[in-house]
Amino acid sequence: MRKYTIGIIGAGMIAEKHIQAFQKTGRAEITWVARKDKSRLNGFASRYGIPRGTDDYRELLADPELEAVVITSPPYLHRDMFIDALRAGKHVLLEKPAAINRKQLHEMLEARHRFPHLKVLDCSCRHARLQPKFRFVKEYIRSGQLGEVYFIHHNGVFRNGRPGIEYHPAAKWFLNKELAGGGPMIDWGVYDLSFHLGLLNDEPELKKVHHAFVTSGLDKKDPGTPVYNVEEHGMALLEFDNGLRYYWERAAHANVEAPHETRIYGTKGGLKFAFCSWDSPLITFFDSENDGTGNARRVDTEVDMSSHIDDDYALAEHFIGLLDGKEDPLMPIERAAKHLEIIFKVYEAAGVKLP
């Protein structure tokens, strides 16, 4: 099978994950890497056997032999890189979040519409739609065993998990709203919305943000940078046009730990599980026997995760499937933009000014 030539824009930790995943597929040749820090460029390229490197991503885009790019730079840079890549005729795998404000997002969507023949995939499908638990839960809902889904409750609350401090401490841009777009509500929120709204075929449209808050400054640890203005903990209660209510809580650092748990409530039954691929494979189904007239029942099922190598590999394989013309994107940028609009409205309801 043919291999695709791919260039990597950005050369941090996330770029390394993409490179390793694409190389593992055997279907990609990483022929370029772009990194602004020229002093570290050659070492990074040689470590992964990448033949060409540049400190100007536009040089990479000018190569007519290059077919696709992966944009892994901090979010505030995505707009220009994305638009330039499309103008250069490259397919794009775009790291999340796609943009940090509506103006950037609008310009990116306009550019995408001018180049409909190019393949574009947003990475917010990575931890959500590419793994067996998503398919298992979606089939449960499709089968009608839950009845009408009227409420989804999700929390992912962690302690000492802040990007730029405890997690990947060298990446201080995570702590600056003007560079990252925000804290966990946007960083992880894109995955939460990708998973939960995807279960319902992306049909619900946001009607109202009933309540939202964000907070930070929950300890006195030195962040190691003068700018630290992203939230550490946030919550929102959302209402959608089909009557669905969605309670959504995220924290990279809070004084109570409540790791991933999703509860889906339907008129006939319900589900409880942790959606990430590295969490427990256990999914619990609740209903009443005899079509709702009998005793309460609980059924525990372990989803078979044996075929799932990891989320990054699944993402690389899916992108190659798009390039082959055999798959449709599980997260086109148009859909990712709808999720970001929900997040922007949550921030605004919490009194946060967008970058």
Side-chain angles (χ1 to χ4, degrees):
M1 300 180 76
R2 66 161 293 192
K3 289 186 176 183
Y4 294 98
T5 54
I6 295 177
I8 307 294
I9 300 177
M13 178 191 68
I14 298 300
E16 292 186 282
K17 290 179 178 290
H18 283 290
I19 292 167
Q20 292 164 2
F22 275 112
Q23 290 178 338
K24 195 183 298 182
T25 68
R27 296 287 315 280
E29 290 184 36
I30 309 299
T31 58
W32 277 95
V33 61
R35 181 173 189 156
K36 285 187 70 175
D37 185 351
K38 203 168 185 177
S39 65
R40 298 184 179 182
L41 177 62
N42 291 337
F44 186 93
S46 63
R47 185 158 68 250
Y48 291 103
I50 302 171
R52 282 167 285 187
T54 178
D55 61 351
D56 185 347
Y57 73 89
R58 286 163 292 199
E59 182 183 357
L60 174 157
L61 295 177
D63 182 356
E65 301 299 317
L66 189 69
E67 296 173 278
V69 296
V70 186
I71 298 175
T72 74
S73 300
Y76 77 103
L77 297 170
H78 287 179
R79 173 188 55 191
D80 291 348
M81 292 174 172
F82 178 78
I83 293 172
D84 288 345
L86 294 182
R87 287 173 176 165
K90 312 304 182 188
H91 306 291
V92 179
L93 177 57
L94 178 65
E95 260 303 337
K96 56 80 194 171
I100 63 171
N101 57 46
R102 291 187 180 95
K103 182 176 184 295
Q104 287 189 353
L105 200 54
H106 177 71
E107 292 174 4
M108 294 168 77
L109 290 173
E110 280 192 333
R112 201 283 173 270
H113 294 156
R114 290 197 299 271
F115 301 96
H117 62 289
L118 295 173
K119 308 293 185 181
V120 173
L121 180 65
D122 182 275
C123 286
S124 61
C125 61
R126 176 199 283 113
H127 297 317
R129 304 185 179 202
L130 290 166
Q131 44 114 341
K133 278 192 271 188
F134 176 78
R135 295 187 287 273
F136 182 92
V137 174
K138 189 170 184 177
E139 176 56 27
Y140 237 112
I141 294 172
R142 190 207 63 79
S143 72
Q145 294 182 75
L146 270 63
E148 181 182 347
V149 174
Y150 64 88
F151 183 45
I152 297 177
H153 182 290
H154 175 72
N155 54 256
V157 178
F158 296 88
R159 304 192 73 197
N160 297 318
R162 291 165 289 193
I165 301 180
E166 294 91 6
Y167 172 74
H168 197 32
K172 296 301 180 188
W173 60 264
F174 273 112
L175 305 176
N176 187 337
K177 183 176 68 174
E178 303 297 323
L179 308 182
M185 296 297 280
I186 193 169
D187 184 39
W188 262 94
V190 292
Y191 293 130
D192 299 334
L193 295 175
S194 175
F195 192 100
H196 298 123
L197 296 182
L199 296 175
L200 303 175
N201 300 313
D202 296 295
E203 293 172 355
E205 297 285 342
L206 182 66
K207 180 179 178 182
K208 185 177 182 180
V209 179
H210 281 280
H211 181 70
F213 81 82
V214 297
T215 190
S216 60
L218 297 173
D219 65 16
K220 297 180 180 179
K221 184 176 288 187
D222 181 5
T225 178
V227 180
Y228 181 24
N229 57 6
V230 299
E231 82 280 0
E232 295 177 338
H233 186 189
M235 165 270 169
L237 178 60
L238 311 179
E239 179 183 356
F240 290 84
D241 61 350
N242 64 346
L244 173 72
R245 262 64 168 188
Y246 181 51
Y247 174 92
W248 169 40
E249 183 182 10
R250 264 287 165 192
H253 179 66
N255 288 320
V256 171
E257 190 171 61
H260 292 133
E261 182 181 85
T262 292
R263 303 200 298 270
I264 300 178
Y265 297 82
T267 53
K268 291 183 179 180
L271 293 171
K272 183 174 73 171
F273 57 93
F275 80 69
C276 290
S277 62
W278 55 85
D279 290 323
S280 168
L282 184 69
I283 293 183
T284 302
F285 172 62
F286 302 87
D287 74 346
S288 297
E289 296 174 338
N290 301 323
D291 198 26
T293 64
N295 295 326
R297 177 173 58 177
R298 168 181 174 149
V299 179
D300 291 331
T301 303
E302 286 200 0
V303 178
D304 182 4
M305 302 292 291
S306 61
S307 64
H308 187 72
I309 296 175
D310 61 56
D311 295 349
D312 296 305
Y313 178 81
L315 180 66
E317 278 213 317
H318 179 45
F319 188 62
I320 288 171
L322 300 186
L323 300 183
D324 285 340
K326 295 179 179 179
E327 299 181 28
D328 294 323
L330 288 175
M331 187 54 65
I333 191 171
E334 295 86 352
R335 187 173 298 148
K338 288 188 175 183
H339 296 168
L340 279 176
E341 178 59 27
I342 293 172
I343 293 169
F344 293 157
K345 287 181 176 177
V346 166
Y347 275 136
E348 289 170 335
V352 176
K353 184 178 179 181
L354 299 180

